[in-house]
Amino acid sequence: MALVSEILTKLTLSYGGEREPKCPTVVPAYDFNPEQDAAKIETAIKTKGVDEQTIIDIMTKRSCSQRSEIAFEYEKRAKKDLVSALKGALSGSLEHLILGLMKSTAQYDASELKSSMKGLGTDEESLNEMVCSRNNEELKEIKKVYREMFKKELEKDVSGDTSGDFIPLCCTICNRDEPSNVVDYEKIDNDARALYEAGVKRKGTDVTTWISIFSERSVPHLQKVFERYKRYSPYDIKESIRKEVKGDLEKSFLTLVECLENKHLYFASRLGDAMKSKSVKEKVITRIIVSRCEVDLMKVRAEFKRNFGKSLYQTILEHTKGDYQRALLNLCGGDD
């Protein structure tokens, strides 16, 4: 537990000093009229059998701030909370998707993190995905929102729900400065050599050294460390991880490296894996599409097409159906 606490207070997942440009597929609607939208949704919910199509077309084509305005107007009209009304009107994967859209990106991430730690066992795969792929700014906001929503600290919940050496390289814990613009080549070389000497070069792995370097260094620094590492080791960093650690810790290290290399490709690969078999992983699809549609889903779409040879839009068409499919396609924002 002491090791867990130490890592959680040191971890930084900053993606550089500059703000990342957004590439959303969902943008604020032009000529937005929240009163009109609220009236349409009220009618759609009251309709016998529920008019899901109207709800989908409004909620998936408005920004988060616009949905908040609709919710405000709906409550004025119907004297009822919109989220509660939607819960009563919808079900299954569509319900989860639409309710996810009623939260801000940080609120949705915080809710999904909490959900991944509910009940028996922890969904480490989801923890890895959500935390290792978020930048420093996003993680700070998630931590703040998590505290507001659940009256608990995210790092305490995570450390209380995991054990041993498994730290999903998560929960940021970002009381650290942004990375310097000065490239410290000596430190890069020292870290690359330290990773090699703590792993491939020796019998057994000095996991503490690996965790320290992975968790304490900035992303630009680590990217250069992984490149330099090839000069010391006969294996690249991902091959070395597979040889040196196993289980959940291996998955955590690999997830972080993949996100450092190209997080949009990581999301694309996750979506591809979730739709490559008959048993479609709707929870994974929903989480990625909802959480990234107002952030960088356009870049994920581009990586998906490049990596899989077909568009995300067409893949969703092939592997999902019904109202849930229509909602996903709207959030996807078009074909490539």
Side-chain angles (χ1 to χ4, degrees), residues 22-27 59-60 62-64 67 97 100-101 105 286-298 300 327-328 330-333:
K22 288 197 171 185
C23 295
T25 55
V26 174
V27 296
M59 292 305 195
T60 60
R62 306 291 185 269
S63 68
C64 180
R67 290 182 215 112
L97 184 151
L101 291 173
T105 300
T286 299
R287 184 172 58 245
I288 294 174
I289 297 291
V290 169
S291 66
R292 310 316 291 179
C293 66
E294 293 189 59
V295 182
D296 54 9
L297 190 55
M298 194 68 77
V300 177
L328 288 174
N330 282 359
L331 295 176
C332 184

Side-chain angles (χ1 to χ4, degrees), residues 26 63 65 93 125-126 133 178 204 244 299 303 315:
V26 174
S63 68
S65 61
S93 296
E125 191 174 337
S126 296
S133 62
E178 295 294 331
E244 295 299 316
K299 288 185 177 181
E303 289 293 348
T315 306

Side-chain angles (χ1 to χ4, degrees), residues 168-210:
L169 297 179
C170 78
C171 296
T172 137
I173 313 290
C174 308
N175 297 318
R176 297 172 59 84
D177 294 333
E178 295 294 331
S180 169
N181 290 325
V182 177
V183 180
D184 188 337
Y185 289 103
E186 183 178 1
K187 189 174 182 181
I188 289 166
D189 187 73
N190 288 341
D191 283 347
R193 186 172 63 253
L195 285 173
Y196 171 63
E197 291 177 349
V200 172
K201 188 178 180 181
R202 55 173 282 172
K203 185 176 181 180
T205 309
D206 178 0
V207 173
T208 302
T209 296
W210 275 43

Side-chain angles (χ1 to χ4, degrees), residues 116 121-129 161-162 166 168 248 252:
S116 72
T122 304
D123 182 357
E124 289 90 357
E125 191 174 337
S126 296
L127 281 171
N128 282 336
E129 176 200 300
D161 223 61
T162 58
F166 170 56
D248 292 324
S252 295

Side-chain angles (χ1 to χ4, degrees), residues 29-49:
Y30 182 67
D31 286 341
F32 173 59
N33 187 325
E35 296 92 345
Q36 191 176 82
D37 283 348
K40 288 180 180 178
I41 289 174
E42 184 182 23
T43 301
I45 290 173
K46 287 181 176 179
T47 298
K48 187 176 181 180

Side-chain angles (χ1 to χ4, degrees), residues 220-232:
H221 178 87
L222 280 174
Q223 288 168 334
K224 292 179 175 64
V225 168
F226 297 156
E227 187 60 35
R228 184 72 176 180
Y229 179 82
K230 297 174 186 175
R231 297 196 179 186
Y232 291 101

